[in-house]
Amino acid sequence: MNKQELSATANAMVADNKGLLAADESTGTMGKRLDSIGVENVEDNRRDYREMMFRSEGIGNYISGVILYDETLRQNAADGTPLAKLLNDTGVIPGIKVDMGAKDLPGRPAEKITEGLDGLPGRVEEYYNLGARFAKWRAVIDIADGIPSRYAIHTNAHALARYAKICQEGGLCPIVEPEILMDGAHDINRCQEVTEEVLDVVYNELYLQEVYLEGSILKPNMVISGKKCATQAPADEVAAKTVETLKRCVPSAVPGIMFLSGGQSEEDATVHLDLMNAMGDLPWGLSFSYGRALQQSALQAWKGEAANNAAAQAAFIERAKANSQACAGTYSKAA
Ligand code: 5MM
């Protein structure tokens, strides 16, 4: 394991108030996004949409890396330039989603286990050679009556640690993503309780499996009310409870925590991050690894037309810049 390379990558990912663009939607998820703007889910359209974002003027000022899907890492831009090279040339690190998706947990179909460990060392080697320098694996934990089970939490944590170790051996800095979904009717306190338990088990597994924490990144959910909860906790409570939980569970050896947005609006995801960074006294870099919260406006502005590229790029950069300000805790002051 090349510890120096891994920790250099992890630190570069959270440096200078930059964050990640999660553009690793699998083909099915991308289909839903394109469908929302009436665009057909074919390879060229997926490429054109992502190329449009990657070519945004100034992307490297706010975005340190992009999480790609297997297809995208192998794809060329319309002019023949590999998309990974295009990113590298603007100082943006290419990363790769290596999990094969969340499947039904055997014996407990209401819960999920993320698959993709079989053959992973070989894929990691190939991805490294294609230019990726970090990886992502997402575990999905749902909150509802009687779940999550201890079984779901432990099997997912075990797989996350197995993935992280394999990636580190192959030179990819692992993003460890245990996502607790915000789709339920639970309140913020239940979210905090589950987030704490999950992170505690995940860091125990990472420790047991000798994962090099200094060369890893955590991508967690924020501690937040479920979408269907009648009482939505205010932004300052989300920020305070998220930081409280992370301080309890995440070792300071981890260089960066880069949140997922999980279905929050673009503005909420930025404001929450801003409030956390404005609190100060944090042992790790706190940044973003947003998918929907960076892309929503851009996708709507694009509508599948090259003539809309400039407007879509402006929308994307507006969110990227806002989130970069949130990394410094200066977003609300700048607005
Ligand atoms: C971009 O979406 C990623 C997963 O897509 P699939 O469900 O198709 O595998 C997802 O893991 C994403 O990287 C994170 O959830 C962050 O995205 P959001 O939209 O939650 O910020």
Side-chain angles (χ1 to χ4, degrees):
M1 184 193 295
N2 184 338
K3 290 184 171 178
Q4 207 184 349
E5 181 185 23
L6 293 168
S7 88
T9 303
N11 281 287
M13 287 160 76
V14 281
D16 304 326
N17 298 318
K18 295 182 195 177
L20 304 178
L21 165 64
D24 59 314
E25 298 87 355
S26 52
T27 306
T29 304
M30 202 57 217
K32 287 183 207 155
R33 306 278 187 268
L34 292 177
D35 195 48
S36 75
I37 53 165
V39 171
E40 199 187 348
N41 186 20
V42 294
E43 190 175 339
D44 278 359
N45 289 341
R46 293 193 290 272
R47 191 270 317 276
D48 289 350
Y49 170 63
R50 287 167 167 150
E51 180 180 348
M52 173 277 291
M53 281 189 293
F54 301 169
R55 286 194 186 276
S56 301
E57 179 85 36
I59 181 175
N61 295 331
Y62 314 113
I63 300 292
S64 57
V66 177
I67 315 174
L68 302 170
Y69 184 54
D70 182 278
E71 172 184 280
T72 324
L73 183 59
R74 302 173 192 280
Q75 241 168 3
N76 292 335
D79 68 1
T81 314
L83 289 176
K85 179 175 185 314
L86 196 153
L87 289 171
N88 251 324
D89 289 349
T90 52
V92 176
I93 312 168
I96 180 75
K97 183 233 294 292
V98 302
D99 68 67
M100 306 291 267
K103 311 286 181 243
D104 288 353
L105 184 66
R108 274 196 175 256
E111 297 188 276
K112 301 285 175 204
I113 177 70
T114 301
E115 295 186 350
L117 291 171
D118 288 352
L120 185 55
R123 286 195 290 129
V124 166
E125 189 182 347
E126 191 189 0
Y127 290 143
Y128 188 97
N129 292 333
L130 285 166
R133 288 296 174 268
F134 65 90
K136 191 201 90 170
W137 177 290
R138 172 172 170 253
V140 180
I141 303 283
D142 207 354
I143 302 181
D145 281 350
I147 64 171
S149 64
R150 196 172 54 171
Y151 165 33
I153 294 172
H154 283 259
T155 47
N156 275 293
H158 186 267
L160 274 168
R162 291 264 291 122
Y163 135 82
K165 187 68 179 179
I166 291 168
C167 286
Q168 289 189 332
E169 288 296 318
L172 299 182
C173 169
I175 298 177
V176 173
E177 181 180 3
E179 174 173 7
I180 290 134
L181 298 177
M182 57 180 287
D183 299 335
H186 54 274
D187 66 10
I188 189 170
N189 294 326
R190 176 80 178 124
C191 178
Q192 182 168 34
E193 191 179 279
V194 174
T195 304
E196 220 171 282
E197 184 181 354
V198 169
L199 290 177
D200 186 39
V201 175
V202 165
Y203 276 96
N204 193 38
E205 275 296 339
L206 294 175
Y207 183 76
L208 283 174
Q209 296 189 40
E210 302 178 0
V211 171
Y212 177 57
L213 295 183
E214 291 84 346
S216 73
I217 292 286
L218 175 70
K219 174 165 173 168
N221 53 284
M222 294 181 194
V223 172
I224 196 165
S225 317
K227 273 193 207 153
K228 295 184 205 128
C229 181
T231 315
Q232 294 288 309
D236 55 349
E237 190 178 348
V238 171
K241 289 193 163 155
T242 303
V243 167
E244 182 179 58
T245 296
L246 294 172
K247 280 188 170 176
R248 284 176 181 161
C249 304
V250 186
S252 57
V254 175
I257 297 177
M258 308 182 85
F259 291 103
L260 58 92
S261 58
Q264 298 180 48
S265 70
E266 290 177 328
E267 183 66 9
D268 283 356
T270 307
V271 167
H272 291 150
L273 180 63
D274 184 58
L275 286 171
M276 286 186 248
N277 277 307
M279 287 164 69
D281 187 30
L282 302 167
W284 357 252
L286 263 199
S287 175
F288 58 94
S289 173
Y290 294 158
R292 286 162 288 178
L294 273 172
Q295 297 185 44
Q296 251 156 38
S297 299
L299 183 69
Q300 293 307 319
W302 184 60
K303 295 189 185 71
E305 300 287 339
N308 296 331
N309 278 0
Q313 288 170 333
F316 169 63
I317 289 296
E318 186 182 322
R319 289 327 306 168
K321 183 177 178 186
N323 285 307
S324 178
Q325 288 168 341
C327 289
T330 59
Y331 173 65
S332 47
K333 291 187 198 108

